[in-house]
Amino acid sequence: MLQTHGLTASYGQFRALFGVDIAVGEGECVAIIGANGAGKSTLMRSITGVIRNEPGMVLHRGEPIGALSSAEVMKRGIAMVPEGRRLFPSLTVEENLLIGGQVRKAQGPWNLEAIYDLFPILRERRKNPGTALSGGQQQMVAIGRALMSNPELLLCDEISLGLAPVVIRDIYAALPKIRAGGAAVVVVEQDIGKALAVADRVYCMMEGRVTLAAQAAAVSRQDIHAAYFGEAA
Protein backbone atom coordinates (compact mmCIF):
# COMPACT_ATOMS: atom_id res chain seq x y z
CA MET A 1 0.00 0.00 0.00
CA LEU A 2 2.73 2.47 0.96
CA GLN A 3 6.46 2.53 0.28
CA THR A 4 9.29 4.98 0.74
CA HIS A 5 12.36 4.76 -1.50
CA GLY A 6 15.59 6.47 -0.52
CA LEU A 7 13.57 9.05 1.41
CA THR A 8 15.53 12.08 2.56
CA ALA A 9 14.34 15.12 4.48
CA SER A 10 15.97 18.26 5.81
CA TYR A 11 15.22 21.24 8.02
CA GLY A 12 17.24 23.97 6.37
CA GLN A 13 20.86 22.83 6.44
CA PHE A 14 20.10 19.99 8.88
CA ARG A 15 19.56 16.59 7.27
CA ALA A 16 17.05 14.55 9.28
CA LEU A 17 16.50 11.48 7.06
CA PHE A 18 19.09 9.60 5.03
CA GLY A 19 17.69 7.21 2.42
CA VAL A 20 14.86 5.66 4.43
CA ASP A 21 13.09 2.63 2.92
CA ILE A 22 9.94 1.27 4.58
CA ALA A 23 6.81 -0.52 3.35
CA VAL A 24 3.30 -0.97 4.73
CA GLY A 25 1.00 -3.67 3.37
CA GLU A 26 -2.79 -3.92 3.29
CA GLY A 27 -4.22 -4.19 6.80
CA GLU A 28 -0.80 -4.38 8.46
CA CYS A 29 0.31 -2.82 11.70
CA VAL A 30 3.86 -1.55 11.39
CA ALA A 31 5.80 -0.15 14.33
CA ILE A 32 8.50 2.51 13.98
CA ILE A 33 10.70 2.60 17.08
CA GLY A 34 13.75 4.61 18.05
CA ALA A 35 15.03 7.15 20.54
CA ASN A 36 14.26 10.87 20.53
CA GLY A 37 15.78 12.51 17.48
CA ALA A 38 15.89 9.28 15.46
CA GLY A 39 13.77 10.79 12.67
CA LYS A 40 10.49 9.00 13.36
CA SER A 41 8.26 12.08 13.35
CA THR A 42 10.09 13.51 10.34
CA LEU A 43 9.30 10.28 8.51
CA MET A 44 5.60 10.69 9.34
CA ARG A 45 5.62 14.33 8.21
CA SER A 46 7.29 13.34 4.96
CA ILE A 47 4.73 10.63 4.22
CA THR A 48 1.80 12.98 4.92
CA GLY A 49 3.10 15.89 2.84
CA VAL A 50 3.92 18.24 5.69
CA ILE A 51 7.48 18.00 4.38
CA ARG A 52 7.62 17.90 0.57
CA ASN A 53 9.98 15.50 -1.18
CA GLU A 54 10.81 14.21 -4.63
CA PRO A 55 7.63 12.55 -5.98
CA GLY A 56 9.06 9.03 -6.21
CA MET A 57 10.42 8.98 -2.67
CA VAL A 58 6.93 8.13 -1.36
CA LEU A 59 4.62 5.77 -3.25
CA HIS A 60 0.96 5.09 -2.48
CA ARG A 61 -0.38 2.07 -4.36
CA GLY A 62 2.50 2.48 -6.77
CA GLU A 63 1.80 6.14 -7.52
CA PRO A 64 4.32 8.86 -6.53
CA ILE A 65 2.96 11.16 -3.83
CA GLY A 66 6.14 12.60 -2.32
CA ALA A 67 5.49 16.09 -3.70
CA LEU A 68 1.78 16.26 -2.79
CA SER A 69 0.40 18.62 -0.15
CA SER A 70 -0.88 17.22 3.14
CA ALA A 71 -4.49 17.85 2.04
CA GLU A 72 -3.92 15.92 -1.19
CA VAL A 73 -2.31 13.05 0.73
CA MET A 74 -5.25 12.88 3.13
CA LYS A 75 -7.70 12.75 0.24
CA ARG A 76 -5.91 9.61 -0.89
CA GLY A 77 -6.79 7.93 2.40
CA ILE A 78 -3.72 8.57 4.54
CA ALA A 79 -4.45 10.24 7.89
CA MET A 80 -2.17 11.10 10.80
CA VAL A 81 -2.69 11.37 14.54
CA PRO A 82 0.01 13.98 15.26
CA GLU A 83 2.32 14.02 18.23
CA GLY A 84 0.83 16.36 20.82
CA ARG A 85 -2.75 15.82 19.53
CA ARG A 86 -3.15 19.40 18.18
CA LEU A 87 -6.88 19.80 18.69
CA PHE A 88 -8.66 22.99 17.68
CA PRO A 89 -8.99 24.80 21.03
CA SER A 90 -12.05 26.85 20.06
CA LEU A 91 -14.08 23.77 19.03
CA THR A 92 -15.98 21.18 21.03
CA VAL A 93 -15.11 17.50 21.00
CA GLU A 94 -17.79 16.82 18.42
CA GLU A 95 -16.76 19.74 16.24
CA ASN A 96 -13.15 18.53 16.30
CA LEU A 97 -14.35 15.11 15.18
CA LEU A 98 -16.52 16.53 12.41
CA ILE A 99 -13.57 18.47 11.01
CA GLY A 100 -11.88 15.15 10.30
CA GLY A 101 -14.71 14.09 8.03
CA GLN A 102 -14.56 17.20 5.83
CA VAL A 103 -11.32 16.51 3.97
CA ARG A 104 -12.10 13.15 2.40
CA LYS A 105 -15.61 12.20 1.27
CA ALA A 106 -15.21 8.45 1.62
CA GLN A 107 -17.49 5.58 2.45
CA GLY A 108 -16.34 3.48 5.35
CA PRO A 109 -17.05 2.26 8.86
CA TRP A 110 -16.23 5.48 10.70
CA ASN A 111 -18.77 8.16 11.63
CA LEU A 112 -19.65 9.96 14.84
CA GLU A 113 -21.55 7.02 16.32
CA ALA A 114 -18.74 4.60 15.50
CA ILE A 115 -16.20 6.91 17.16
CA TYR A 116 -18.41 7.23 20.24
CA ASP A 117 -18.73 3.44 20.38
CA LEU A 118 -14.94 3.13 20.15
CA PHE A 119 -14.36 5.76 22.86
CA PRO A 120 -17.58 6.02 24.95
CA ILE A 121 -16.23 8.82 27.15
CA LEU A 122 -16.25 11.12 24.12
CA ARG A 123 -20.01 10.74 23.78
CA GLU A 124 -20.34 12.03 27.36
CA ARG A 125 -17.94 14.92 26.67
CA ARG A 126 -19.02 15.72 23.11
CA LYS A 127 -20.12 19.28 23.95
CA ASN A 128 -17.01 20.09 25.99
CA PRO A 129 -14.15 22.12 24.51
CA GLY A 130 -11.59 19.65 23.18
CA THR A 131 -8.80 21.14 25.26
CA ALA A 132 -10.85 20.87 28.48
CA LEU A 133 -10.36 17.10 28.48
CA SER A 134 -7.61 15.03 30.07
CA GLY A 135 -4.58 14.19 27.97
CA GLY A 136 -5.85 10.68 27.30
CA GLN A 137 -9.27 11.91 26.26
CA GLN A 138 -7.69 14.48 23.96
CA GLN A 139 -5.69 11.65 22.38
CA MET A 140 -8.94 9.78 21.78
CA VAL A 141 -10.36 12.85 20.05
CA ALA A 142 -7.24 13.12 17.87
CA ILE A 143 -7.55 9.46 16.87
CA GLY A 144 -11.28 9.85 16.24
CA ARG A 145 -10.72 12.96 14.13
CA ALA A 146 -8.29 11.05 11.90
CA LEU A 147 -10.65 8.07 11.63
CA MET A 148 -13.52 10.30 10.54
CA SER A 149 -11.85 10.58 7.13
CA ASN A 150 -12.18 6.77 6.82
CA PRO A 151 -8.49 6.31 6.04
CA GLU A 152 -7.00 3.17 4.58
CA LEU A 153 -3.75 4.03 6.36
CA LEU A 154 -3.63 5.57 9.85
CA LEU A 155 -0.32 7.00 11.09
CA CYS A 156 -0.09 7.33 14.88
CA ASP A 157 2.80 9.49 16.06
CA GLU A 158 3.70 8.88 19.73
CA ILE A 159 0.11 8.23 20.83
CA SER A 160 1.16 7.08 24.32
CA LEU A 161 3.54 9.95 25.05
CA GLY A 162 2.92 11.49 28.48
CA LEU A 163 -0.14 9.38 29.27
CA ALA A 164 -0.86 7.23 32.32
CA PRO A 165 -0.47 3.44 31.84
CA VAL A 166 -4.21 2.78 32.25
CA VAL A 167 -5.01 5.32 29.54
CA ILE A 168 -2.35 3.88 27.22
CA ARG A 169 -3.94 0.45 27.69
CA ASP A 170 -7.35 1.77 26.65
CA ILE A 171 -5.94 3.52 23.57
CA TYR A 172 -3.99 0.47 22.44
CA ALA A 173 -7.09 -1.68 22.97
CA ALA A 174 -8.73 0.36 20.20
CA LEU A 175 -6.11 -0.57 17.57
CA PRO A 176 -7.49 -4.06 16.78
CA LYS A 177 -10.94 -2.52 16.23
CA ILE A 178 -9.42 0.07 13.90
CA ARG A 179 -7.67 -2.64 11.91
CA ALA A 180 -10.88 -4.68 11.82
CA GLY A 181 -12.42 -1.74 9.97
CA GLY A 182 -9.91 -2.31 7.16
CA ALA A 183 -7.22 0.28 7.93
CA ALA A 184 -3.51 -0.40 8.04
CA VAL A 185 -1.78 1.27 10.99
CA VAL A 186 1.68 2.68 11.53
CA VAL A 187 2.54 3.21 15.19
CA VAL A 188 5.50 5.44 16.09
CA GLU A 189 6.59 4.53 19.61
CA GLN A 190 9.39 4.84 22.12
CA ASP A 191 7.81 2.08 24.24
CA ILE A 192 9.30 -0.99 22.57
CA GLY A 193 7.09 -3.46 24.43
CA LYS A 194 3.89 -1.69 23.39
CA ALA A 195 5.06 -1.46 19.79
CA LEU A 196 6.01 -5.13 19.48
CA ALA A 197 2.76 -6.27 21.13
CA VAL A 198 0.57 -4.78 18.39
CA ALA A 199 2.80 -4.82 15.30
CA ASP A 200 3.22 -7.35 12.50
CA ARG A 201 6.54 -5.80 11.48
CA VAL A 202 8.92 -3.36 13.10
CA TYR A 203 11.46 -0.84 11.86
CA CYS A 204 14.02 0.72 14.16
CA MET A 205 15.50 4.11 13.33
CA MET A 206 18.63 5.83 14.60
CA GLU A 207 19.98 9.19 13.44
CA GLY A 208 17.72 9.34 10.39
CA ARG A 209 18.41 5.83 9.12
CA VAL A 210 16.65 2.47 9.37
CA THR A 211 18.85 0.17 11.44
CA LEU A 212 16.47 -2.79 11.71
CA ALA A 213 13.58 -4.18 9.64
CA ALA A 214 12.05 -7.41 10.95
CA GLN A 215 8.94 -9.39 11.76
CA ALA A 216 7.83 -8.28 15.22
CA ALA A 217 7.27 -11.83 16.45
CA ALA A 218 10.76 -12.92 15.43
CA VAL A 219 12.90 -9.99 16.52
CA SER A 220 14.98 -10.46 19.67
CA ARG A 221 15.81 -7.99 22.40
CA GLN A 222 19.44 -8.26 21.37
CA ASP A 223 18.53 -7.27 17.80
CA ILE A 224 16.59 -4.27 19.07
CA HIS A 225 19.36 -3.22 21.45
CA ALA A 226 21.90 -3.28 18.64
CA ALA A 227 19.62 -1.34 16.29
CA TYR A 228 18.45 1.13 18.93
CA PHE A 229 21.89 2.04 20.27
CA GLY A 230 24.11 1.15 17.34
CA GLU A 231 26.11 -1.38 19.30
CA ALA A 232 26.05 -5.05 20.17
CA ALA A 233 24.07 -6.11 23.23
Side-chain angles (χ1 to χ4, degrees), residues 74-94:
M74 191 170 185
K75 287 177 182 177
R76 295 184 65 95
I78 301 172
M80 184 163 71
V81 182
E83 181 181 353
R85 301 175 283 272
R86 300 188 184 181
L87 303 184
F88 296 99
S90 63
L91 302 183
T92 66
V93 166
E94 190 158 295

Side-chain angles (χ1 to χ4, degrees), residues 2 16 25 31 51 56 59 69 77 92 126 129 132 155 166 170 173-174 177 190 205 209 215:
L2 182 91
I51 298 174
L59 301 179
S69 70
T92 66
R126 64 186 184 275
L155 309 177
V166 66
D170 291 344
K177 300 174 186 177
Q190 292 187 50
M205 295 184 66
R209 296 175 172 85
Q215 295 292 320

Side-chain angles (χ1 to χ4, degrees), residues 16-217:
L17 296 180
F18 299 84
V20 171
D21 295 337
I22 71 163
V24 183
E26 296 277 356
E28 266 195 318
C29 182
V30 172
I32 311 290
I33 63 173
N36 279 334
K40 306 185 301 297
S41 292
T42 300
L43 174 59
M44 296 299 99
R45 294 184 187 115
S46 297
I47 291 171
T48 54
V50 177
I51 298 174
R52 302 287 188 94
N53 302 283
E54 293 297 321
M57 287 185 176
V58 184
L59 301 179
H60 176 234
R61 299 196 177 280
E63 297 183 13
I65 65 168
L68 297 183
S69 70
S70 54
E72 291 169 322
V73 171
M74 191 170 185
K75 287 177 182 177
R76 295 184 65 95
I78 301 172
M80 184 163 71
V81 182
E83 181 181 353
R85 301 175 283 272
R86 300 188 184 181
L87 303 184
F88 296 99
S90 63
L91 302 183
T92 66
V93 166
E94 190 158 295
E95 288 167 341
N96 268 280
L97 293 174
L98 289 170
I99 287 289
Q102 299 304 307
V103 176
R104 182 173 185 244
K105 303 297 183 183
Q107 296 296 317
W110 298 107
N111 53 38
L112 277 178
E113 283 306 308
I115 300 301
Y116 291 149
D117 288 343
L118 184 66
F119 298 122
I121 189 64
L122 299 187
R123 179 182 279 111
E124 299 175 24
R125 304 293 176 85
R126 64 186 184 275
K127 299 303 180 185
N128 291 49
T131 52
L133 307 182
S134 69
Q137 291 164 2
Q138 288 185 39
Q139 190 65 276
M140 293 173 188
V141 177
I143 295 170
R145 181 179 60 189
L147 289 174
M148 284 287 288
S149 68
N150 279 294
E152 60 180 35
L153 175 59
L154 181 69
L155 309 177
C156 300
D157 193 1
E158 302 282 12
I159 55 173
S160 68
L161 190 64
L163 301 181
V166 66
V167 177
I168 296 170
R169 181 197 64 199
D170 291 344
I171 287 174
Y172 267 86
L175 292 183
K177 300 174 186 177
I178 293 170
R179 294 180 69 187
V185 180
V186 174
V187 177
V188 171
E189 260 294 356
Q190 292 187 50
D191 187 324
I192 297 171
K194 281 283 183 293
L196 295 181
V198 299
D200 300 306
R201 292 187 300 110
V202 60
Y203 293 93
C204 184
M205 295 184 66
M206 185 178 70
E207 297 179 350
R209 296 175 172 85
V210 172
T211 54
L212 173 71
Q215 295 292 320

